[in-house]
Structures are given as structure tokens and as C-alpha cells.
Amino acid sequence: MIVSTNQLFRVAYGRFAVGAYNINNMEQALGLFEGNKLSEAPFIVQLSKGARKYANVLMIEGIIRAAQEIYPEAIFAVHLDHGDEETAYDCIDSGFYSSVMIDASHLPFADNIAATRRVVERAHAKGISVEAELGMLGGVEEHIQVDEKHAMLTDPNEAAEFVLHSGCDSLAVAIGTSHGAYKFKGQQSLHFDRLAQIQTRLPGFPLVMHGSSSVPRDEVERINAAGGALDPSARGVNEDEFATAVPLGVTKVNIDTDGRLVWTRVHREFFRDLPAKFDFRDPGKIYVAEYAKFIAHKNQKLNSAGRLAEVRAALAG
Ligand code: G3H
Ligand code: 13P
Ligand code: ZN
């Protein structure tokens, strides 16, 4: 059942984070829905502009519609990830999305507010909620490359002003994460002090953590042992830190890169070990099962596992 993102946030706030997983194809969709079934978790399936272009919007949305029928017990929201205004309007008008993200974080503060406000007005008229972003994560966002020097943590006072004037329903904050596989050099932690300051100014308001893949070291090692050439110093978010972030208002956690690593590991190992094989369904089946296992594990860390019954009750009541 597709539900509103705000409904999920109301149940989750302060107690668990809803996993927001990017998908691009049928195998990811099957693994995602299976993993959430295994762990009895509500979730958000999110599509980037790149995913909508890669798979064709009709195809990828059709896959989600089909998954909903295959998994009738699933409770999830459909979300546009890192949208620009044009794509946000397209998704709002389509009627298929629970929520859209307008990412105007690269614009000056006032322009970011203005763009977000425009999207909010159109989205709210249709009962769709809006995620915005303030501050700059490092790494790669669509076509924008942000180097570490220019990555800026979200200013708590600005965050409060931004939410007040833009009317957004949730806010992606920069608290030390970045997109992609190379987030941290050496041991590093999230900026919980900054997160706490933001929560103090925005009590009860859902905050979103982008760039939240954990980039497991053994996954990188297995990929490289099977012919990959990833930087072995690749580090992500310590997934045990989600438990600290959740009471501080983090209600949605975005994960994409880790799913790509599972795909790469499964396929590299498969073809290394069975070089005579060429039926893509063989590694595909392994990938679906491994991705499902990954999702179920991640939902444990987000504390969203086992929440399906209470979410269903909250939706009914
Ligand atoms: O934040 C970016 C997401 O990981 C989406 O990546 O634009 O390559 O689909 P993509
Ligand atoms: P990762 O690159 O850490 O998976 O982040 C994904 C993301 O933030 C999608 O919006
Ligand atoms: Zn992101």
C-alpha cells in the first residue's frame, strides 16, 4: 500500500528512521520489497532523476506498481530524490508520488527558500509532501560535484528560518555525510552536536540524512578480490550511529551506494567463479536475495524492523 510520507514520519519521529532506498531496476525492486517483508518494516522507495531517465519513467513506476501487487502487505511511500523544479512538478502532476524532494541547496539561501516555496504550494494542493535541503553535502549529487572544502554543515538558525518561510515538510541536513563510497578519511563520526542544535530549533520536525550508506569494508574487499578497483580506504557512516541520530530528529535515512556495492560484489564474484556462465538470471537471483538480506539488516539498524503492525494500526486509527 502506498501511503503518505508524512504519515510514516508521524509514527517514526524520535523512535525509528524510515529507510529510503534508491532503485533503478526490477531486481532492486524485488530485493527491496522482499527485504522489507522479511524485516516487517515500512519504507520509502525513491527514484532519482537519473533512475527515471535510465529505466524510463513509465517502466520504473510500472515496476513499483507491480511490486505493490506482488507484496500486498508492504507499506511504503514513493519519493522523488534530489528533484529540480521541473521534475518535481512532473511527479506532483503524475499523482503517483507520496512526496518530492526539491534540492535547491546549491542556490543562495533566499533562492532556495523561493524555489522550495513554489514546489510546496503545488505539492500541498495535491496532498503531496516536500523534502528540501539546506547546507551542502560533499560528494556527487546528480551533475553537481561538491568537494570537501565546500561542503557546509547546516546552520541551525538558518534551518528554522528556512522551514518557516518555505513550508517544507522535512529537511535534509548536512551533518557530515556525503554521497557515494568515499565519505570519510580514517575514523570519523556524524556531527551530533550540530544535529542537536537543529532539533532544538525545530522540535518534532522530521530531518533527513542523505549520504547514509555504510560502505562495509568487507564488501569493498570482496569487490576488489574479485577484480574491482575501489579505493580500499572507502568509508561510510557507522550504522550504529543511527541509534543516536534518531532521537535527535533523523526520521528518513537515504541509502543508495550500499545497494550498488551489493550488486557489484555479487556480479563480480559470480563471473569470477563461473566464467562459462552467461545467463544473467543466475547472478540476478543471487543479487535479489542478497539485496533483500542487506535491506533487512539495515532496517534493524534503523530500528524500523518489526514496525509494520504499529504503522498499520496508526494508519487505520
Ligand atoms: O544522491 C544521489 C543518489 O545516490 C542518486 O544517485 O543520481 O546516480 O541515481 P543517481
Ligand atoms: P549514499 O550515496 O550514501 O547511498 O546516499 C544516497 C542518497 O543520499 C540518496 O539521496
Ligand atoms: Zn542524497
Side-chain angles (χ1 to χ4, degrees), residues 79-91:
H79 178 77
L80 168 69
D81 188 30
H82 291 289
D84 52 23
E85 269 191 83
E86 188 190 347
T87 316
Y89 296 145
D90 191 46
C91 293

Side-chain angles (χ1 to χ4, degrees), residues 104-152:
S105 58
H106 52 287
L107 297 179
F109 185 66
D111 297 345
N112 187 358
I113 290 180
T116 303
R117 181 86 235 164
R118 287 193 291 275
V119 173
V120 164
E121 274 162 18
R122 244 165 100 165
H124 284 186
K126 288 205 160 195
I128 293 165
S129 54
V130 176
E131 174 184 328
E133 180 171 323
L134 185 64
M136 269 193 200
L137 280 75
V140 184
E141 280 185 16
E142 294 285 346
H143 304 298
I144 305 161
Q145 174 102 35
V146 182
D147 65 39
E148 274 179 42
K149 274 203 299 275
H150 293 100
M152 284 183 321

Side-chain angles (χ1 to χ4, degrees), residues 36 38-42 299-300 303-311:
N36 285 296
L38 289 173
S39 53
E40 296 180 24
N299 289 340
Q300 297 288 347
N303 206 16
S304 63
R307 301 282 186 175
L308 219 43
E310 74 180 89
V311 170

Side-chain angles (χ1 to χ4, degrees), residues 22 46 81-82 178-180 183 210-213 254-257:
N22 291 71
Q46 57 185 11
D81 188 30
H82 291 289
S178 59
H179 291 104
K183 301 185 195 304
H210 282 245
S212 300
S213 280
N254 283 17
I255 293 166
D256 186 358
T257 297

Side-chain angles (χ1 to χ4, degrees), residues 4 48 66 98 105 107 253 256 279:
S4 99
S48 69
S98 315
S105 58
L107 297 179
V253 166
D256 186 358
D279 184 344

Side-chain angles (χ1 to χ4, degrees), residues 7-310:
Q7 281 176 315
L8 291 183
F9 286 171
R10 270 195 290 276
V11 184
Y13 186 89
R15 301 190 305 131
F16 64 93
V18 184
Y21 300 101
N22 291 71
I23 65 161
N24 290 264
N25 66 15
M26 181 267 291
E27 287 82 1
Q28 276 186 306
L30 286 174
L32 175 62
F33 279 74
E34 182 65 25
N36 285 296
K37 181 181 176 177
L38 289 173
S39 53
E40 296 180 24
F43 62 103
I44 295 172
V45 51
Q46 57 185 11
L47 302 177
S48 69
K49 280 194 297 173
R52 285 162 47 92
K53 191 168 169 203
Y54 168 71
N56 188 302
V57 178
L58 289 178
M59 183 72 75
I60 194 72
E61 292 179 359
I63 285 171
I64 296 169
R65 286 190 175 91
Q68 187 182 15
E69 290 194 34
I70 299 166
Y71 290 92
E73 67 290 317
I75 295 180
F76 64 103
V78 181
H79 178 77
L80 168 69
D81 188 30
H82 291 289
D84 52 23
E85 269 191 83
E86 188 190 347
T87 316
Y89 296 145
D90 191 46
C91 293
I92 292 164
D93 293 343
S94 82
F96 182 58
Y97 292 72
S98 315
S99 49
V100 295
M101 177 184 188
I102 167 69
D103 181 359
S105 58
H106 52 287
L107 297 179
F109 185 66
D111 297 345
N112 187 358
I113 290 180
T116 303
R117 181 86 235 164
R118 287 193 291 275
V119 173
V120 164
E121 274 162 18
R122 244 165 100 165
H124 284 186
K126 288 205 160 195
I128 293 165
S129 54
V130 176
E131 174 184 328
E133 180 171 323
L134 185 64
M136 269 193 200
L137 280 75
V140 184
E141 280 185 16
E142 294 285 346
H143 304 298
I144 305 161
Q145 174 102 35
V146 182
D147 65 39
E148 274 179 42
K149 274 203 299 275
H150 293 100
M152 284 183 321
L153 298 188
T154 303
D155 178 285
N157 290 325
E158 280 192 359
E161 195 185 336
F162 184 91
V163 169
L164 179 69
H165 294 295
S166 71
C168 66
D169 303 277
S170 61
L171 186 66
V173 289
I175 52 162
T177 64
S178 59
H179 291 104
Y182 308 113
K183 301 185 195 304
F184 299 130
K185 288 195 170 55
Q187 210 55 43
Q188 227 171 318
S189 178
L190 300 174
H191 293 263
F192 291 118
D193 47 344
R194 183 61 67 107
L195 187 56
Q197 289 163 2
I198 297 170
Q199 189 192 37
T200 301
R201 286 162 184 79
L202 286 169
F205 189 82
L207 304 174
V208 181
M209 227 170 83
H210 282 245
S212 300
S213 280
S214 57
V215 192
R217 192 181 300 204
D218 67 313
E219 203 72 295
V220 172
E221 283 170 2
R222 283 175 72 174
I223 289 169
N224 286 346
L230 298 180
D231 181 342
S233 73
R235 294 284 177 278
V237 173
N238 175 350
E239 56 190 5
D240 291 324
E241 293 196 335
F242 295 142
T244 311
V246 165
L248 295 173
V250 169
T251 314
K252 172 173 179 276
V253 166
N254 283 17
I255 293 166
D256 186 358
T257 297
D258 280 348
R260 298 178 183 197
L261 294 177
V262 175
W263 187 95
T264 306
R265 182 251 302 166
V266 164
H267 288 83
R268 280 199 176 278
E269 288 185 346
F270 181 87
F271 289 112
R272 176 197 61 190
D273 297 341
L274 300 162
K277 290 274 192 183
F278 58 89
D279 184 344
F280 53 79
R281 291 173 297 192
D282 293 332
K285 273 183 278 187
I286 300 171
Y287 171 68
V288 169
E290 288 293 295
Y291 190 48
K293 213 160 81 183
F294 162 78
I295 296 286
H297 162 81
K298 197 56 82 173
N299 289 340
Q300 297 288 347
K301 295 293 179 182
L302 297 172
N303 206 16
S304 63
R307 301 282 186 175
L308 219 43
E310 74 180 89

